[in-house]
Amino acid sequence: MEDLPLPSIFEQARKIYDAATESASDQDGVRKGCEALRKCEDMIGKLGLFSVNETKEDISTGNLKYIMVPFYLAELTEKIAQDDRIEILKASQAKLKEFIAFCETMELVPKEELETSTEGNSLADRRARKIARFKRQKAAESKLLEIKERKERRGRSSKASALSAPIEAGEEDVLEDDGEEEREAWLTTITLAICKAFDLLEMLKEEEEMLSSIKEIQEKDGDKNLSREILDDRMKRAEDWHRDGVVRARYSKPAPPITCATFARDVLEGRANVSETHDHKHQPLIFGPASLVSGPLTSERERLAAQVFQPGFRMPTMSIEDAGLREMEMMNKWQERTAKFIEEANSAWYKDETRKPGQSEDADDEDDDAAQEKARAWDDWKDDNPRGAGNKKLTPCG
């Protein structure tokens, strides 16, 4: 990598960044990408590609992509796995701030972002900033997709022209300078990276504050010796407990499932045990004085007293479980009856019985002959009496 030029090193680092962003990459690849990006930073500083006195119009198209080096390095640094997570977060935040400050110097940061950053830090202001940033991010992604499709369409059109093949409709775009398109693509990529950098910077700040507070609590409580060995021991004991539970479950008979809501409530409240048998028999709820009468109503006085303070609607005469079981029984009977009807309809004796009682096959043949003779007679009459033949004398010139 020492002898490679800057464009080659940057392309290698960008490939590693794309692979780490799309899927979980190994730590060796992430560290190689960080090393390549640091090499790019050194070479950019030695070559003096950028100046604080320049703006984005003064930067050449070929050098625009090197503005992304601090952003790529910040994201890859955040993915490094290390015991001291706070140190990683601080390094990533430093690169993000460097990227944002440089973009602000080059007048690449949108004015909306600068205006909203100077406003208050209330929940409503933060929400408004996030919504505006999300809209800019979606617009940049759509523009990048449009540029990519335009480039692919131009490539297909040039191939078709080279092969002297007919060009499809919509692909006859005039070939234009690729430099303007590449510049537009990189500027849009930088705008998208700025939106992501602000979001990532806020997230890393919150994570650093959380880890710092946890570290302070551990130092105050004297729990500083909570090492990896203690965590591994706790994990091992939890795994052993689950493994023993699986072994015990092979030889223990599980309790039957509870399918009754009322019985489940009795079990939860301690009025019944899971092992008890249950027949889905529940008495309906009773309100008023009737609930105080334990036995049957023996006198007219008790019957009248039981009707006092009753609800204004009809009380249920059965529980929900009884109604469900009765409806299930009705459905089973209906299915059995339907299956029987279908079987009878498909049987041979049912099809034979469609003939009227007392009617034989000879009678059917005779009916067919009679109908055929009647049809032939009607055809002969129509041949002898054409349509309109009887009305000729009624016409004026007849």
Side-chain angles (χ1 to χ4, degrees):
M1 189 179 292
E2 294 291 338
D3 300 333
L4 293 178
L6 178 60
S8 301
I9 299 176
F10 179 77
E11 288 300 324
Q12 289 183 3
R14 194 174 70 164
K15 288 180 181 178
I16 295 174
Y17 168 78
D18 293 337
T21 305
E22 293 176 358
S23 61
S25 180
D26 56 340
Q27 291 296 312
D28 294 336
V30 172
R31 296 182 186 276
K32 288 181 181 178
C34 293
E35 183 181 354
L37 289 170
R38 293 192 187 96
K39 182 66 177 176
C40 288
E41 280 188 333
D42 296 338
M43 296 182 70
I44 290 171
K46 292 178 181 179
L47 295 174
L49 298 181
F50 305 112
S51 174
V52 294
N53 299 323
E54 294 178 341
T55 59
K56 60 182 178 182
E57 286 80 10
D58 301 327
I59 302 175
S60 63
T61 303
N63 295 337
L64 277 175
K65 56 186 177 182
Y66 300 124
I67 298 177
M68 298 289 296
V69 171
F71 175 74
Y72 291 159
L73 184 57
E75 284 211 337
L76 287 182
T77 303
E78 189 269 333
K79 296 180 183 297
I80 295 177
Q82 187 174 322
D83 294 337
D84 192 0
R85 176 67 177 171
I86 298 179
E87 182 181 351
I88 295 295
L89 294 177
K90 289 181 178 179
S92 180
Q93 289 181 62
K95 287 300 176 183
L96 287 174
K97 291 178 181 178
E98 178 185 345
F99 170 71
I100 294 172
F102 183 78
C103 290
E104 187 176 354
T105 304
M106 294 295 148
E107 299 180 357
L108 290 168
V109 181
K111 294 182 180 180
E112 297 84 358
E113 189 68 45
L114 295 176
E115 292 175 358
T116 54
S117 60
T118 58
E119 295 177 357
N121 199 23
S122 62
L123 292 177
D125 296 335
R126 292 174 60 184
R127 181 176 179 274
R129 284 199 296 268
K130 283 185 175 294
I131 292 175
R133 193 178 300 152
F134 178 76
K135 290 181 179 179
R136 289 195 298 271
Q137 182 175 345
K138 286 299 180 182
E141 291 176 353
S142 302
K143 193 172 183 180
L144 284 176
L145 183 61
E146 180 184 353
I147 294 173
K148 182 180 178 182
E149 292 176 353
R150 193 192 313 161
K151 189 179 295 184
E152 291 177 354
R153 187 168 60 248
R154 186 182 300 113
R156 291 196 302 267
S157 180
S158 60
K159 286 182 181 179
S161 300
L163 297 174
S164 300
I167 301 175
E168 298 181 1
E171 295 188 350
E172 56 275 347
D173 296 336
V174 181
L175 294 177
E176 56 187 13
D177 187 16
D178 292 340
E180 293 295 330
E181 190 177 66
E182 184 181 359
R183 187 177 185 84
E184 183 183 6
W186 277 113
L187 289 175
T188 308
T189 304
I190 293 171
T191 304
L192 179 62
I194 291 171
C195 297
K196 292 182 178 180
F198 277 106
D199 290 337
L200 183 59
L201 187 61
E202 292 179 0
M203 184 184 68
L204 295 181
K205 285 181 180 179
E206 293 177 358
E207 186 177 356
E208 183 185 0
E209 292 176 358
M210 181 182 65
L211 292 178
S212 300
S213 61
I214 292 175
K215 188 175 181 180
E216 291 177 0
I217 293 173
Q218 289 178 354
E219 290 178 356
K220 289 180 181 180
D221 296 342
D223 196 13
K224 205 171 181 179
N225 298 324
L226 189 62
S227 59
R228 177 64 62 181
E229 290 77 10
I230 298 176
L231 296 176
D232 292 340
D233 182 59
R234 291 180 180 178
M235 186 178 297
K236 184 175 181 301
R237 282 188 291 173
E239 291 177 355
D240 293 341
W241 185 83
H242 285 290
R243 192 181 299 109
D244 294 341
V246 172
V247 173
R248 289 194 303 269
R250 295 177 183 175
Y251 305 101
S252 61
K253 184 178 179 181
I258 299 175
T259 58
C260 176
T262 307
F263 182 59
R265 185 178 59 191
D266 293 341
V267 171
L268 292 175
E269 295 178 358
R271 293 190 296 270
N273 296 324
V274 182
S275 59
E276 295 180 1
T277 57
H278 184 62
D279 298 331
H280 296 279
K281 293 181 179 179
H282 307 282
Q283 296 295 330
L285 298 177
I286 301 176
F287 295 90
S291 61
L292 304 177
V293 181
S294 57
L297 303 178
T298 56
S299 64
E300 183 69 17
R301 182 182 180 85
E302 292 180 353
R303 187 182 66 80
L304 293 175
Q307 296 177 0
V308 179
F309 300 121
Q310 290 294 306
F313 51 87
R314 289 188 176 183
M315 294 300 299
T317 58
M318 65 177 67
S319 63
I320 298 177
E321 289 78 10
D322 293 336
L325 292 175
R326 184 171 298 184
E327 189 172 352
M328 182 66 69
E329 184 179 356
M330 292 171 58
M331 183 59 66
N332 291 334
K333 291 181 180 179
W334 181 82
Q335 289 181 350
E336 292 176 359
R337 187 168 63 252
T338 304
K340 184 178 180 181
F341 288 159
I342 294 174
E343 184 179 358
E344 291 178 355
N346 295 331
S347 60
W349 67 268
Y350 181 78
K351 295 180 180 179
D352 294 341
E353 288 298 329
T354 54
R355 189 181 298 111
K356 294 181 181 180
Q359 187 178 5
S360 61
E361 295 183 359
D362 296 338
D364 293 341
D365 295 339
E366 291 177 0
D367 292 341
D368 293 341
D369 295 340
Q372 189 175 8
E373 291 178 0
K374 185 177 180 181
R376 287 176 181 174
W378 175 247
D379 291 338
D380 295 340
W381 188 89
K382 285 196 296 183
D383 293 340
D384 297 338
N385 301 279
R387 183 178 180 84
N391 297 330
K392 286 183 179 180
K393 293 182 179 182
L394 299 179
T395 56
C397 300

